[in-house]
Amino acid sequence: MCYPARSQASPPESVHVIRDAESGLEGVIVLHSTKLGPAAGGCRLWRYGDESAATRDALRLAQGMAYKNALAGLPLGGGKAVLRLPEGSFDRAKLFTAFGRKVAALKGAYVTAEDVGTTVADMQVVNEATHHVAGLPQKPGLPGGDPSPWTALGVFLSMREAARRKFGSDLSGLTVAVQGLGNVGARLCHLLHEAGARLVVAEPRSDVAAAVACRYGAEIASVAGIAQARCEIFAPCALGGVLNADSVANLQARIVCGGANNVLATEEDGDRLADRSVLYAPDYVVNAGGIINVAAEYLGWTTTEVELRVRQTDLRLAAVFDHCESTGLPPHRAADLLALKRIAAGAASSALSNAA
Ligand code: NAD
């Protein structure tokens, strides 16, 4: 079937090119949507060939954040900052001070945090220029800190829901292939083991793979072979873009559900999964535990509120699967549509309350 490309579905609200000659800051802040609240999304510092490559990445990531935040039920829009890593040595504190001023100039329309290439220490520097930043050192008893345990819990609950839909069973006795044993993957293995699942794992750090194999009786697969491992469920917890035409054709799993962002190389790969009757649990629906924790830090919520919201991840996934059943859409497209609807509904209700 032919569907519209996702990128045509919703253009960004605004794109802010940011530059500061003194510190070497060069990048872009994209506010994809502020209809549900401030556009929240991390700040990536990465090497890009040119400005348009950085902008393309920021546009894609900002849209992903808008959809993720909307479907997680957060009072936040979506945005992203992408900074080009300067050539040679540079003064990091100066760069992030300049970035903080650019965030401050947006007067709360954008909320930043860490992402690939940036750290808690960078965000502390940003915090000297603006309050619109999360991912700061955790205060005792409050949300914040490492979000991975929340992400892993949301993925686990989602996997249980997907297994119920696909096999009419719980996870006990099913084999799950976990790709990547970092913060999310290792924690997920623990939860799966407790639930009685069998594990096949792959991880380039062989000592880490061996430790997980020993602790949970997991079988170790090669890094190259994990996506084709014999299993019922494939859980990508390392890289984006792992599902492409080739890997989808060779997948043994009947469910894909993992923590990694941007698992589908293209929209069409999601369609290919559906054509093969593989149930795909959309990445940004199931891995929202981390952003819920970050949002709670920024919005001043309690840890109890974080847990409550993360424990509803399976209900949000169930709503996506229900939408698939009623529309005939594959899950990645159904999720996008629901996110767009939620953003539009949020915009309509705030227009009504402004008019009242
Ligand atoms: P991490 O860096 O701690 O773990 C990634 C692991 O994958 C590492 O152990 C790495 O060695 C391994 N790896 C790298 N290449 C691999 C390969 N080819 N095959 C198998 N393993 C490989 O990262 P993380 O925090 O666990 O996050 C994992 C994924 O989940 C990332 O895509 C991240 O963007 C996404 N994510 C994480 C969170 C979070 O809360 N940490 C939230 C949302 C999404």
CSV table of all heavy atoms in Angstrom, one decimal, residues 118-156:
chain,number,residue,atom,x,y,z
A,118,THR,N,26.6,15.3,24.3
A,118,THR,CA,26.6,16.3,25.4
A,118,THR,C,26.4,15.7,26.8
A,118,THR,O,26.0,14.5,26.8
A,118,THR,CB,25.5,17.4,25.2
A,118,THR,OG1,24.2,16.7,25.1
A,118,THR,CG2,25.7,18.2,23.9
A,119,THR,N,26.8,16.4,27.8
A,119,THR,CA,26.8,15.8,29.1
A,119,THR,C,26.1,16.6,30.2
A,119,THR,O,25.7,17.7,29.9
A,119,THR,CB,28.3,15.7,29.6
A,119,THR,OG1,28.8,17.1,29.8
A,119,THR,CG2,29.2,15.0,28.6
A,120,VAL,N,26.0,16.0,31.4
A,120,VAL,CA,25.4,16.7,32.5
A,120,VAL,C,26.2,18.0,32.8
A,120,VAL,O,25.6,19.1,33.0
A,120,VAL,CB,25.4,15.8,33.8
A,120,VAL,CG1,25.0,16.6,35.0
A,120,VAL,CG2,24.6,14.6,33.6
A,121,ALA,N,27.5,17.9,32.7
A,121,ALA,CA,28.3,19.1,33.0
A,121,ALA,C,28.0,20.2,31.9
A,121,ALA,O,28.0,21.4,32.3
A,121,ALA,CB,29.8,18.7,32.9
A,122,ASP,N,27.8,19.9,30.7
A,122,ASP,CA,27.4,20.9,29.7
A,122,ASP,C,26.1,21.5,30.1
A,122,ASP,O,26.0,22.8,29.9
A,122,ASP,CB,27.3,20.2,28.3
A,122,ASP,CG,28.6,19.6,27.8
A,122,ASP,OD1,29.7,20.1,28.1
A,122,ASP,OD2,28.5,18.6,27.0
A,123,MET,N,25.2,20.7,30.5
A,123,MET,CA,23.8,21.3,30.9
A,123,MET,C,23.9,22.2,32.1
A,123,MET,O,23.2,23.2,32.2
A,123,MET,CB,22.8,20.2,31.1
A,123,MET,CG,22.5,19.4,29.8
A,123,MET,SD,22.0,20.5,28.4
A,123,MET,CE,23.2,20.0,27.2
A,124,GLN,N,24.9,21.9,33.0
A,124,GLN,CA,25.1,22.8,34.1
A,124,GLN,C,25.6,24.2,33.7
A,124,GLN,O,25.2,25.2,34.2
A,124,GLN,CB,26.1,22.2,35.1
A,124,GLN,CG,25.5,21.0,35.9
A,124,GLN,CD,26.5,20.4,36.8
A,124,GLN,OE1,27.4,19.7,36.4
A,124,GLN,NE2,26.3,20.6,38.1
A,125,VAL,N,26.4,24.2,32.6
A,125,VAL,CA,26.9,25.4,32.0
A,125,VAL,C,25.7,26.2,31.4
A,125,VAL,O,25.5,27.4,31.6
A,125,VAL,CB,28.0,25.2,31.0
A,125,VAL,CG1,28.4,26.5,30.3
A,125,VAL,CG2,29.2,24.5,31.6
A,126,VAL,N,24.9,25.4,30.6
A,126,VAL,CA,23.7,26.0,30.0
A,126,VAL,C,22.8,26.7,31.1
A,126,VAL,O,22.3,27.8,30.9
A,126,VAL,CB,22.9,25.0,29.2
A,126,VAL,CG1,21.6,25.5,28.7
A,126,VAL,CG2,23.8,24.5,28.0
A,127,ASN,N,22.7,26.0,32.2
A,127,ASN,CA,21.8,26.4,33.3
A,127,ASN,C,22.2,27.8,33.9
A,127,ASN,O,21.4,28.5,34.5
A,127,ASN,CB,21.8,25.3,34.4
A,127,ASN,CG,20.7,25.5,35.4
A,127,ASN,OD1,20.9,25.2,36.6
A,127,ASN,ND2,19.6,26.0,35.0
A,128,GLU,N,23.5,28.2,33.7
A,128,GLU,CA,23.9,29.5,34.2
A,128,GLU,C,23.3,30.6,33.3
A,128,GLU,O,23.1,31.7,33.8
A,128,GLU,CB,25.4,29.6,34.1
A,128,GLU,CG,26.1,28.8,35.3
A,128,GLU,CD,27.5,28.6,35.1
A,128,GLU,OE1,28.2,29.4,34.4
A,128,GLU,OE2,28.1,27.6,35.7
A,129,ALA,N,22.9,30.3,32.1
A,129,ALA,CA,22.3,31.3,31.2
A,129,ALA,C,20.7,31.2,31.1
A,129,ALA,O,20.1,32.1,30.8
A,129,ALA,CB,22.8,31.2,29.8
A,130,THR,N,20.2,30.0,31.5
A,130,THR,CA,18.8,29.8,31.3
A,130,THR,C,18.2,28.7,32.3
A,130,THR,O,19.0,27.7,32.6
A,130,THR,CB,18.4,29.4,29.8
A,130,THR,OG1,17.0,29.2,29.8
A,130,THR,CG2,19.1,28.1,29.4
A,131,HIS,N,17.0,28.8,32.7
A,131,HIS,CA,16.3,27.8,33.5
A,131,HIS,C,15.7,26.7,32.6
A,131,HIS,O,15.2,25.7,33.1
A,131,HIS,CB,15.2,28.4,34.4
A,131,HIS,CG,15.8,29.4,35.4
A,131,HIS,ND1,16.8,29.1,36.2
A,131,HIS,CD2,15.4,30.7,35.6
A,131,HIS,CE1,17.1,30.1,36.9
A,131,HIS,NE2,16.3,31.1,36.6
A,132,HIS,N,15.7,27.0,31.3
A,132,HIS,CA,14.9,26.0,30.4
A,132,HIS,C,15.8,24.9,30.0
A,132,HIS,O,16.1,24.7,28.8
A,132,HIS,CB,14.4,26.8,29.2
A,132,HIS,CG,13.5,27.9,29.7
A,132,HIS,ND1,12.3,27.7,30.4
A,132,HIS,CD2,13.6,29.3,29.6
A,132,HIS,CE1,11.8,28.9,30.7
A,132,HIS,NE2,12.5,29.8,30.2
A,133,VAL,N,16.3,24.1,31.0
A,133,VAL,CA,17.2,23.0,30.8
A,133,VAL,C,16.9,21.9,31.8
A,133,VAL,O,16.6,22.2,32.9
A,133,VAL,CB,18.7,23.5,30.8
A,133,VAL,CG1,18.9,24.3,32.1
A,133,VAL,CG2,19.6,22.4,30.7
A,134,ALA,N,16.9,20.7,31.3
A,134,ALA,CA,16.8,19.5,32.2
A,134,ALA,C,18.0,18.6,32.1
A,134,ALA,O,18.9,19.0,31.3
A,134,ALA,CB,15.5,18.8,31.9
A,135,GLY,N,18.0,17.5,32.8
A,135,GLY,CA,19.2,16.6,32.7
A,135,GLY,C,20.4,17.2,33.6
A,135,GLY,O,21.5,16.9,33.4
A,136,LEU,N,20.0,17.9,34.7
A,136,LEU,CA,20.9,18.4,35.6
A,136,LEU,C,21.2,17.4,36.7
A,136,LEU,O,20.4,16.4,36.8
A,136,LEU,CB,20.4,19.7,36.2
A,136,LEU,CG,20.2,20.8,35.2
A,136,LEU,CD1,19.3,22.0,35.8
A,136,LEU,CD2,21.5,21.3,34.7
A,137,PRO,N,22.2,17.5,37.6
A,137,PRO,CA,22.4,16.5,38.6
A,137,PRO,C,21.1,16.3,39.4
A,137,PRO,O,20.4,17.3,39.8
A,137,PRO,CB,23.5,17.1,39.4
A,137,PRO,CG,24.2,18.0,38.5
A,137,PRO,CD,23.2,18.6,37.6
A,138,GLN,N,20.9,15.0,39.7
A,138,GLN,CA,19.6,14.7,40.5
A,138,GLN,C,19.7,15.2,41.9
A,138,GLN,O,20.7,15.0,42.6
A,138,GLN,CB,19.5,13.2,40.5
A,138,GLN,CG,18.1,12.7,41.0
A,138,GLN,CD,17.9,11.2,40.8
A,138,GLN,OE1,18.9,10.5,40.5
A,138,GLN,NE2,16.7,10.7,41.0
A,139,LYS,N,18.5,15.8,42.3
A,139,LYS,CA,18.4,16.2,43.8
A,139,LYS,C,17.8,15.0,44.5
A,139,LYS,O,16.9,14.3,44.0
A,139,LYS,CB,17.5,17.4,43.9
A,139,LYS,CG,18.1,18.6,43.1
A,139,LYS,CD,17.4,19.9,43.5
A,139,LYS,CE,18.0,21.1,42.7
A,139,LYS,NZ,17.1,21.7,41.7
A,140,PRO,N,18.3,14.8,45.8
A,140,PRO,CA,17.8,13.6,46.5
A,140,PRO,C,16.3,13.6,46.6
A,140,PRO,O,15.6,14.6,46.9
A,140,PRO,CB,18.4,13.8,47.9
A,140,PRO,CG,19.5,14.8,47.8
A,140,PRO,CD,19.2,15.6,46.5
A,141,GLY,N,15.7,12.4,46.3
A,141,GLY,CA,14.3,12.1,46.4
A,141,GLY,C,13.5,12.7,45.2
A,141,GLY,O,12.3,12.5,45.2
A,142,LEU,N,14.1,13.4,44.2
A,142,LEU,CA,13.4,13.9,43.1
A,142,LEU,C,13.7,13.2,41.8
A,142,LEU,O,14.8,12.6,41.7
A,142,LEU,CB,13.7,15.4,43.0
A,142,LEU,CG,13.2,16.3,44.1
A,142,LEU,CD1,13.6,17.8,44.0
A,142,LEU,CD2,11.7,16.3,44.2
A,143,PRO,N,12.8,13.3,40.8
A,143,PRO,CA,13.2,12.7,39.5
A,143,PRO,C,14.4,13.4,38.9
A,143,PRO,O,14.8,14.5,39.3
A,143,PRO,CB,11.9,13.0,38.7
A,143,PRO,CG,10.9,13.4,39.6
A,143,PRO,CD,11.5,14.0,40.8
A,144,GLY,N,15.0,12.7,38.0
A,144,GLY,CA,16.2,13.2,37.3
A,144,GLY,C,17.2,12.0,37.3
A,144,GLY,O,16.9,10.9,37.6
A,145,GLY,N,18.4,12.3,37.0
A,145,GLY,CA,19.5,11.3,37.0
A,145,GLY,C,19.3,10.4,35.8
A,145,GLY,O,18.6,10.7,34.8
A,146,ASP,N,19.9,9.2,35.9
A,146,ASP,CA,19.9,8.2,34.8
A,146,ASP,C,18.5,7.8,34.4
A,146,ASP,O,17.8,7.1,35.3
A,146,ASP,CB,20.8,7.0,35.2
A,146,ASP,CG,20.8,5.9,34.1
A,146,ASP,OD1,20.3,6.2,33.0
A,146,ASP,OD2,21.2,4.8,34.4
A,147,PRO,N,18.0,8.1,33.2
A,147,PRO,CA,16.6,7.7,32.9
A,147,PRO,C,16.4,6.3,32.4
A,147,PRO,O,15.3,5.8,32.3
A,147,PRO,CB,16.3,8.7,31.7
A,147,PRO,CG,17.6,8.9,31.1
A,147,PRO,CD,18.6,8.8,32.1
A,148,SER,N,17.6,5.5,32.2
A,148,SER,CA,17.5,4.2,31.6
A,148,SER,C,16.6,3.2,32.3
A,148,SER,O,15.9,2.4,31.6
A,148,SER,CB,18.9,3.6,31.4
A,148,SER,OG,19.8,4.5,31.2
A,149,PRO,N,16.6,3.1,33.6
A,149,PRO,CA,15.7,2.1,34.3
A,149,PRO,C,14.3,2.4,33.9
A,149,PRO,O,13.5,1.4,33.7
A,149,PRO,CB,16.0,2.3,35.8
A,149,PRO,CG,17.3,2.9,35.9
A,149,PRO,CD,17.5,3.8,34.6
A,150,TRP,N,13.9,3.6,33.8
A,150,TRP,CA,12.5,3.9,33.4
A,150,TRP,C,12.2,3.5,32.0
A,150,TRP,O,11.2,3.0,31.6
A,150,TRP,CB,12.2,5.4,33.6
A,150,TRP,CG,12.3,5.9,35.0
A,150,TRP,CD1,13.1,6.8,35.5
A,150,TRP,CD2,11.4,5.5,36.1
A,150,TRP,NE1,12.9,7.0,36.9
A,150,TRP,CE2,11.8,6.2,37.2
A,150,TRP,CE3,10.3,4.6,36.2
A,150,TRP,CZ2,11.2,6.0,38.5
A,150,TRP,CZ3,9.7,4.4,37.4
A,150,TRP,CH2,10.2,5.1,38.6
A,151,THR,N,13.2,3.8,31.1
A,151,THR,CA,13.1,3.4,29.7
A,151,THR,C,12.9,1.9,29.6
A,151,THR,O,12.0,1.4,28.9
A,151,THR,CB,14.3,3.9,28.9
A,151,THR,OG1,14.4,5.3,29.1
A,151,THR,CG2,14.2,3.6,27.4
A,152,ALA,N,13.8,1.2,30.3
A,152,ALA,CA,13.7,-0.3,30.2
A,152,ALA,C,12.4,-0.8,30.8
A,152,ALA,O,11.8,-1.8,30.2
A,152,ALA,CB,14.9,-0.9,31.1
A,153,LEU,N,11.9,-0.2,31.8
A,153,LEU,CA,10.6,-0.7,32.4
A,153,LEU,C,9.5,-0.5,31.3
A,153,LEU,O,8.6,-1.4,31.1
A,153,LEU,CB,10.3,0.1,33.7
A,153,LEU,CG,8.9,-0.2,34.3
A,153,LEU,CD1,8.8,-1.7,34.7
A,153,LEU,CD2,8.7,0.7,35.5
A,154,GLY,N,9.5,0.7,30.7
A,154,GLY,CA,8.4,0.9,29.6
A,154,GLY,C,8.5,0.0,28.5
A,154,GLY,O,7.5,-0.5,28.0
A,155,VAL,N,9.8,-0.4,28.1
A,155,VAL,CA,10.0,-1.3,27.0
A,155,VAL,C,9.5,-2.7,27.4
A,155,VAL,O,8.8,-3.4,26.7
A,155,VAL,CB,11.4,-1.4,26.6
A,155,VAL,CG1,11.7,-2.5,25.6
A,155,VAL,CG2,11.9,0.0,26.0
A,156,PHE,N,9.8,-3.1,28.6
A,156,PHE,CA,9.4,-4.4,29.1
A,156,PHE,C,7.8,-4.5,29.2
A,156,PHE,O,7.3,-5.5,28.7
A,156,PHE,CB,9.9,-4.6,30.6
A,156,PHE,CG,9.4,-5.8,31.3
A,156,PHE,CD1,9.8,-7.1,30.9
A,156,PHE,CD2,8.4,-5.6,32.3
A,156,PHE,CE1,9.2,-8.2,31.6
A,156,PHE,CE2,7.9,-6.7,32.9
A,156,PHE,CZ,8.3,-8.0,32.6
